[in-house]
Amino acid sequence: MELFGMTIQELYLPILIVAGIATLLYLFFSDLTDGAGDLFPLLDPAVILPFITLTATWGYVLELATGLGSGVILIIALAAGTILDFLLYFFILLPLKSAEVSIAYTDESLAGKVAKVIVPIPADGFGEIVIETVNGVLSKRASGYENHPIDYGKEVLIIEVDSGTFIVKEYEPFRFK
């Protein structure tokens, strides 16, 4: 089969291979082009490369699988590439760009969490607690709520944070009867 005087291996397959390699390179080095699509989002390499890849894929498959004319196949491939690229952009890329992911935390954000005492907390002094978070295990200085002592290994509830010291109270889980 020929398309515009070239066989499909001479047209669609090289485009597919080059676009696939460029997509992989973009995947690894996308930080270098960060912000390239902010002015014109549809000119972002994350939008253009999938469009070229999808169009070439549809054209190659349709040339092999159907007996349609080359011009019709090119139009169908362009339409399919455009539709799939818009779906990729609006349902995957746009939500990913606006998502905020952070592993940062503040001491105040830990209030209300349950921790474990690793250094006993004396009546009028400080001990140490560990808090398991998505960031890992955090070790913090702690003092008992209303100056109550708390033994080693007890679970505690973080009531508040005062100047970097976690004010804690022995944790009593709610149990249904």
Side-chain angles (χ1 to χ4, degrees):
M1 275 184 212
E2 289 192 10
L3 174 66
F4 306 117
M6 295 186 286
T7 64
I8 55 173
Q9 286 81 11
E10 292 174 345
L11 182 67
Y12 287 121
L13 200 55
I15 292 173
L16 181 60
I17 291 169
V18 169
I21 291 171
T23 302
L24 283 175
L25 289 174
Y26 177 73
L27 180 70
F28 291 122
F29 301 109
S30 61
D31 288 342
L32 298 175
T33 62
D34 195 26
D38 288 344
L39 190 56
F40 298 107
L42 295 178
L43 296 180
D44 188 357
V47 176
I48 292 175
L49 290 172
F51 169 74
I52 294 169
T53 304
L54 290 167
T55 301
T57 302
W58 276 93
Y60 185 74
V61 169
L62 289 175
E63 283 286 347
L64 290 178
T66 68
L68 296 172
S70 298
V72 173
I73 288 177
L74 181 61
I75 291 170
I76 293 172
L78 287 169
T82 302
I83 291 168
L84 291 173
D85 200 40
F86 274 113
L87 291 174
L88 171 77
Y89 180 74
F90 285 110
F91 290 110
I92 295 175
L93 295 178
L94 211 55
L96 282 176
K97 283 183 181 181
S98 63
E100 291 185 25
V101 178
S102 175
I103 59 172
Y105 71 93
T106 61
D107 286 347
E108 289 75 21
S109 70
L110 297 173
K113 299 230 184 266
V114 176
K116 190 173 187 177
V117 177
I118 58 170
V119 173
I121 302 171
D124 287 320
F126 301 103
E128 194 168 343
I129 59 172
V130 291
I131 310 155
E132 292 185 25
T133 67
V134 294
N135 304 331
V137 178
L138 305 171
S139 177
K140 299 291 183 175
R141 178 180 66 220
S143 175
Y145 183 68
E146 297 178 347
N147 292 322
H148 288 287
I150 303 172
D151 293 332
Y152 170 81
K154 296 283 187 175
E155 283 191 328
V156 292
L157 179 66
I158 301 170
I159 304 297
E160 65 179 327
V161 181
D162 183 29
S163 301
T165 301
F166 285 68
I167 311 300
V168 297
K169 181 178 182 179
E170 196 166 329
Y171 180 63
E172 300 166 8
F174 182 76
R175 290 187 171 71
F176 291 101
K177 294 183 180 186

